């Protein structure tokens, strides 16, 4: 179900008030290399979600964002 649209962006979810969802954003720049997919995850409680993923075997990774959460 589409839950919102704005210009060339839109977001879908299984049900309007239920996460997770996917947001699609149009990139206006010309393609110059391989196609890429960038995912941003927005859990309702980030700390709870991180703990859940770590319990399932996920590992923390330093991806070069410095002090970013």
């Amino acid at each position: 179900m589409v839950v919102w649209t704005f210009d060339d962006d839109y977001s879908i979810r299984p049900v309007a008030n239920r996460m997770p969802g996917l947001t699609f954003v149009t990139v206006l720049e010309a393609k110059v290399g391989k196609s890429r997919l960038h995912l941003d995850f927005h859990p309702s409680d980030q700390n709870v979600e991180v703990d859940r993923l770590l319990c399932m075997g996920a590992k923390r990774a330093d991806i070069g964002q410095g002090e970013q959460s």
Side-chain angles (χ1 to χ4, degrees), residues 19 39-55 58 60-61 63 65 67-69:
M19 296 297 255
L39 299 174
D40 287 326
F41 295 96
H42 301 279
S44 56
D45 187 321
Q46 182 177 356
N47 291 329
V48 169
E49 185 65 10
V50 168
D51 290 342
R52 184 184 76 83
L53 294 170
L54 290 170
C55 287
R60 292 185 181 269
I63 57 172
Q65 289 184 304
E67 297 297 318
Q68 297 297 314
S69 61

Side-chain angles (χ1 to χ4, degrees), residues 8-42:
D8 292 329
D9 305 347
Y10 64 95
S11 186
I12 63 172
R13 296 183 188 163
V15 178
N17 294 321
R18 182 173 165 206
M19 296 297 255
L22 294 174
T23 300
F24 298 88
V25 180
T26 301
V27 176
L28 301 177
E29 294 85 22
K31 182 178 172 183
V32 295
K34 290 183 178 180
S35 295
R36 300 280 189 228
L37 175 65
H38 175 91
L39 299 174
D40 287 326
F41 295 96
H42 301 279

